[in-house]
Structure formats: C-alpha cells, structure tokens
Amino acid sequence: STWANEKIKYLYKSFANPSVIDKTDNNLLINIKDKVYKLNEVGNTLGEYKLAEGESEYLFYTGNKIVSLRGMNTDTPKAEVIDKSASDVEYNIFNKAGVDFTTKPTAGNINIKEIDQNKKWEVTLDKNKLTAGIRGVPCVTIKDKNTGEEFKRSLGDGLEILDNTTLKFNAPNNFTTHEYMVEVTDLCDNIGISSKCVYNLNITKDPDPPKPREKIKSNIFNIDRENNIISNITPGTTVPILQENIEYTGKLKVKDLAGNLITSGRIGTGTTITLSLIHICRCRRIERCRSRWSP
C-alpha cells in the first residue's frame, strides 16, 4: 500500500509500549512516547526523531523516511513525515542523589579527609528507576568546576559495571578541594527512555585555625578579655602610668574624646585606649574608671 506516494516498507501499531519500527543497516528504530529512537545493534542511542504532540497510532518506515499516522478511525487522519536526519539525543535527567541513586563518596559537601585517594568512586542506581547497559554502554564524565578540566571514564578504561546497577570508576587524577560534577550517561529509565544521572561533589578542607589572640595583661588593672573590659583604673591615673602598667605585644595609643592622640594628663571620661590590633578600650568615668574595648 502507499501513503502520500510513499511505499510502505513496514507498518506497526504503536501504543504506550515501545515497538520496533524497522531494522536496517543494523540500526533499530523504536517508538517511545512521541519519540522515535535510533539505536545501533548493541543498543547505543545514535539519535532520535521527534514526533508531533500526541502519541502515534501507527508508524511506518519507507526506507528513507518515517511516517507517523494518527486518527485513522476519524474523518481527518493525519500523517507526519520525518526525514532520516536524527537530532542530538535528549536524555531524561535524574539528579536526586540519595533518591534516584546513591554515591560513594556521598554527594554534596564532604571533607577531603573522608575520601580515600586510592579508592574508586561509585554510583548505585535505583533499579526501579534506572538501569545501565540497556540503552548502550554507559560513560562517566567528571568535570572540575573550578578549572573546567574533564575526566572521562569508559568501560575497560577506568569504569566497571556490576549487575547493571552499580558503576565503579576511577576518581579524578590527584583530586583536591574543588567542586566536581559527575555525569553518567547512556542509562535507561523504567520505560525505556535514554537517561543520565548527574550530581555534584564539593570537596572541602578543615577551616583554618583561629589566629591566637594578642597578649595583654596588667599587674594593676583588671583585664577581662571575655567581656572586653579594663577595670580598677583609679582616679588620677595618668596616661604614662596606664601605658607603663599594661603589657601588650603591640602599640598602645591613648586618645581624648575628640579622637586626638594624647601622651600626658589624666585618664578621663571619653578617653579611648587603642591597641594596634584594633581593640579599643573606652574610659567611662573618672572615679573608679572601668574601660571597655570591642574587637
């Protein structure tokens, strides 16, 4: 029979389940939910043909074109003719680590001390959602998001697959405290769609230890480092006496209420004592003066 002057080579009814349309030159054409996938003889996805909205009722292959036929039981049947030039593959993306798949090291933030430099990384698929080795031979790409460098892992070259669910692969060469994106392609979901899983691994290090606080002490005045207070400053205490009786590793400067540097006279209300590491002591009153600084 013919349709639009095209000789029909094969005709298959296609509903929700995948149907083989044709096998030619060792390539398979399979219809899955509005898309016709072109596969090679071992199942690798070579490309796909996009169909119009609405699932095809019948599909046939003319030898150089695919025809999608729908509405055969109506007064207005429609046909969509697709040439043989397949588009780039569109993957169904799974990116919920811990839900769609599990990883070792665990996806997300992880301290570099928790990762063995000599141990392979792993992805284990939820077999109810994803499988490996059905749509083709999976490939793993690890991208260093800090430098843009990519590391490829393929079967027999840094990648091994166990029971079509667990993939073990070599870690990036000399990985460090960077963020990595891991992508596993050529997987298959539970309805036959070409899929991939993607996750990020942010390798961190211990925070730098806090710098030791500068030493400040006095045999006369009380210095409370926790509350930033200097007390027991008696009335009549002069600037030289204050400076001589506070031991500090940096420089100690005394300023008046207006912010002017002073080197003599008594410590009074509003007097500010400035340390070189930007700690400030402020004199609150003349009698039994207590001074406070804030870092």
Side-chain angles (χ1 to χ4, degrees):
S1 60
T2 61
W3 178 267
N5 296 321
E6 293 285 353
K7 184 176 181 180
I8 297 175
K9 186 175 180 181
Y10 295 100
L11 179 63
Y12 291 89
K13 190 172 184 179
S14 177
F15 292 109
N17 295 325
S19 300
V20 174
I21 303 170
D22 188 27
K23 180 176 181 180
T24 177
D25 299 327
N26 292 323
N27 292 333
L28 300 175
L29 298 174
I30 298 181
N31 173 43
I32 307 172
K33 288 187 177 292
D34 299 331
K35 293 181 181 179
V36 178
Y37 286 88
K38 180 180 180 183
L39 313 174
N40 66 13
E41 58 182 345
V42 295
N44 289 24
T45 306
L46 303 176
E48 68 180 39
Y49 303 92
K50 296 179 182 178
L51 302 177
E53 292 184 5
E55 191 168 343
S56 299
E57 186 174 359
Y58 289 94
L59 291 167
F60 63 90
Y61 178 63
T62 66
N64 59 3
K65 294 180 181 179
I66 297 173
V67 178
S68 165
L69 203 59
R70 52 175 61 90
M72 292 297 292
N73 299 323
T74 69
D75 294 332
T76 57
K78 295 180 180 179
E80 178 187 0
V81 179
I82 306 170
D83 64 31
K84 205 175 178 182
S85 176
S87 66
D88 293 333
V89 178
E90 291 185 359
Y91 289 101
N92 189 8
I93 300 176
F94 291 80
N95 56 14
K96 295 180 180 178
V99 177
D100 302 323
F101 53 90
T102 58
T103 68
K104 293 181 182 179
T106 305
N109 297 325
I110 187 169
N111 193 291
I112 194 168
K113 292 181 179 179
E114 300 177 40
I115 308 176
D116 187 341
Q117 289 275 354
N118 300 314
K119 194 170 184 179
K120 291 187 176 183
W121 292 5
E122 294 183 23
V123 173
T124 300
L125 308 173
D126 181 341
K127 61 183 180 181
N128 295 317
K129 298 179 180 179
L130 287 164
T131 55
I134 302 299
R135 271 288 165 265
V137 181
C139 175
V140 177
T141 301
I142 309 168
K143 182 176 181 179
D144 186 328
K145 298 179 73 172
N146 295 72
T147 65
E149 185 178 6
E150 291 188 351
F151 306 88
K152 300 283 188 180
R153 304 291 183 253
S154 56
L155 197 61
D157 185 15
L159 170 66
E160 58 178 316
I161 304 173
L162 307 177
D163 300 325
N164 288 339
T165 55
T166 299
L167 300 92
K168 295 185 176 183
F169 47 93
N170 294 341
N173 305 332
N174 300 316
F175 65 83
T176 184
T177 51
H178 287 178
E179 184 175 8
Y180 296 89
M181 182 180 72
V182 182
E183 183 178 84
V184 184
T185 57
D186 288 300
L187 303 175
C188 181
D189 70 7
N190 59 1
I191 61 171
I193 300 293
S194 295
S195 305
K196 67 179 178 181
C197 65
V198 181
Y199 66 94
N200 289 317
L201 189 68
N202 185 30
I203 303 177
T204 62
K205 63 179 181 179
D206 290 333
D208 294 331
K211 294 181 180 179
R213 300 180 73 178
E214 70 281 4
K215 294 181 179 180
I216 177 173
K217 64 180 182 178
S218 174
N219 293 327
I220 296 177
F221 309 121
N222 296 327
I223 299 176
D224 183 352
R225 293 304 305 267
E226 295 301 320
N227 296 301
N228 297 335
I229 292 176
I230 298 178
S231 59
N232 199 34
I233 301 176
T234 58
T237 300
T238 63
V239 172
I241 291 175
L242 181 73
Q243 292 174 322
E244 289 172 4
N245 289 280
I246 292 180
E247 295 181 31
Y248 175 60
T249 54
K251 293 181 180 180
L252 186 149
K253 296 179 181 180
V254 181
K255 297 179 181 180
D256 61 18
L257 183 61
N260 300 312
L261 183 67
I262 56 176
T263 58
S264 62
R266 292 186 302 173
I267 300 296
T269 301
T271 301
T272 301
I273 303 168
T274 304
L275 310 181
S276 62
L277 295 179
I278 322 178
H279 287 88
I280 298 174
C281 311
R282 185 175 302 279
C283 183
R284 299 297 184 186
R285 58 179 182 264
I286 294 177
E287 294 188 0
R288 206 63 178 172
C289 182
R290 288 164 59 88
S291 293
R292 179 186 296 272
W293 77 88
S294 58

